[in-house]
């Protein structure tokens, strides 16, 4: 199993080399390196006897159907898009591990069909809208999204066509009644498992997320001649608000809030900033607390903008409620961990995952692997071979239990 675990890491590193930016891992939705990842995964899936296709939103889907398979299928997978300057394991590990679990199912001669999906979009980097791949599979794709534009003004519909796909087929990509559940394997992306000296955890649920953009519009003007009291500086207004975001989150139990993207226009040293777009990513386990915090921050932004003579416009990008994982599938995972003689750790996920979208359509569960240094969305993100090995053992026990349960 150790050799197999090391080969999983090699595969993730091979895919990490398929990037938009030499020297950094950046692979946004429907960009050229995604074709390379598809070609690589397709050939691997086909060599395993899987039937492969790419759906209308660019999800690569491989189906393992053993001889005498029942009509029911387990869906597994994760995403192959990345944040800018990413690590090698966020998302990709879940796809490669899913293929390893298919291999285990083959060795077990399990009657279970398994569909492995490499979701094309989860991070929300290119269009500011996350989970485009899993929304499509969950049958939750809203066609208004096709008009969203990326930073080059390319619409989602145009990007899909440029990738060689047809947006007209999006509704056909939704899962059907044969899918009995979804399991996603993912790095924890946080410090909890490492601090407790544990390899694996079963995820109990995923925090709700709000993402939005605020546009502060003041007046651009000359930096040397415009008196301080006559300015309507959009960046100063945004900066004041950003400190309030941090302060609210620091003082609210369970709340995390991040401003990770700021676009300043015209972005010149000697011009008072006229317009600033600021992102907000805010998460909480309780939806009411999340919504209350968002409205409080909007009130604060309005007060700051009003006082500074700056206009404010809000664009909502995501309002995703917190999602519990399926109890039955989760208990199979917990039993499988116990059967491998490892402690059963249960924990919520602060990161968003494709499983949170799939969970609105099918029973869904997640298995976490420890993140060394608690590091993720960072090039030094890593994983330990011993933890992959543990997750392979858990896969065997899980698949045995699931096959027995659906027989
Ligand atoms: C996904 O990576 C997220 O932002 O939680
Ligand atoms: Mn991520
Ligand atoms: Mn991820």
């Amino acid at each position: 199993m150790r050799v197999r675990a090391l080969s999983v890491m090699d595969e993730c590193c091979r895919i990490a080399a398929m990037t938009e930016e030499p020297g950094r891992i950046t692979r946004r939705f429907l960009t050229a390196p995604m074709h390379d990842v598809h070609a690589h995964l397709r050939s691997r899936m086909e060599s395993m006897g899987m039937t492969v296709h790419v759906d209308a939103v660019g999800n690569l889907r491989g189906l393992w159907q053993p001889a005498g398979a029942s009509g029911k299928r387990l869906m597994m997978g994760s995403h192959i898009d990345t944040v800018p300057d990413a690590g090698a394991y966020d998302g990709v590990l879940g796809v490669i591990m899913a293929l390893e679990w298919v291999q285990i199912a083959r060795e077990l001669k399990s009657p279970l069909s398994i569909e492995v999906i490499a979701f094309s979009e989860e991070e929300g980097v290119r269009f500011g809208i996350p989970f485009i791949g899993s929304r499509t599979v969950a049958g939750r794709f809203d066609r208004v999204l096709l008009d969203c534009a990326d930073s080059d003004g390319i619409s989602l519909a145009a990007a899909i066509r440029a990738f060689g796909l047809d947006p007209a087929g999006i509704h056909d990509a939704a899962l059907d009644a044969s899918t009995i559940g979804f399991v996603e394997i993912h790095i924890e992306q946080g410090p909890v498992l490492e601090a407790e000296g544990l390899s694996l955890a079963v995820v109990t649920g995923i925090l709700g997320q709000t993402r939005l953009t605020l546009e502060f519009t003041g007046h651009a003007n000359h930096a040397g001649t415009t008196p301080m009291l006559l300015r309507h500086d959009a960046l100063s207004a945004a900066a004041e608000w950003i400190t309030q975001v941090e302060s609210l989150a620091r003082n609210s139990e369970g709340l995390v809030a991040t401003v990770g993207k700021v676009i300043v226009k015209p972005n010149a040293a000697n011009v008072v900033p006229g317009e600033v777009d600021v992102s907000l990513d805010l998460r909480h386990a309780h939806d009411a607390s999340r919504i209350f915090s968002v409205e409080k921050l909007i009130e604060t932004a309005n007060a700051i903008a009003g006082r500074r003579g700056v206009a404010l416009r809000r664009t909502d990008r995501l309002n995703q409620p917190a999602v519990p994982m399926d109890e039955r599938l989760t208990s199979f995972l917990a039993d499988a961990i116990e059967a491998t003689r490892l402690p059963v750790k249960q924990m919520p996920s602060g990161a968003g995952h494709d499983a949170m979208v799939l969970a609105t359509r099918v029973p869904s569960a997640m298995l976490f692997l420890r993140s060394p240094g608690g590091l993720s969305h960072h090039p030094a993100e890593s994983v330990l071979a011993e933890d992959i090995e543990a997750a392979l053992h858990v896969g065997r026990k899980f698949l045995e239990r699931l096959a027995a349960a659906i027989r």
Side-chain angles (χ1 to χ4, degrees), residues 79 83 90 122-124 130-131 186 189 206-207 209 211 281 283 349-354 356 376-377:
H79 58 99
V83 294
D90 176 5
E122 188 262 3
E123 301 284 8
F131 306 120
H186 206 285
Q189 305 184 274
I206 305 177
L207 264 58
Q209 295 188 29
R211 293 199 208 179
D281 175 313
R283 308 183 191 203
S349 171
H353 297 290
D354 296 302
M356 88 191 292
S376 186
H377 285 184

Side-chain angles (χ1 to χ4, degrees), residues 61 106 175 226 312 331:
R61 304 168 71 151
R106 281 175 66 165
L175 55 79
T226 315
L312 191 69
S331 74

Side-chain angles (χ1 to χ4, degrees), residues 31 35 79 83 94 126 139 142 156 185 213 215 242 259 261 266 306 317 359:
T31 53
H35 280 298
H79 58 99
V83 294
R126 181 162 177 191
D142 182 341
L156 174 53
I185 301 170
T213 307
E215 186 181 297
I242 292 168
V259 174
K261 185 173 177 185
R317 303 201 174 268

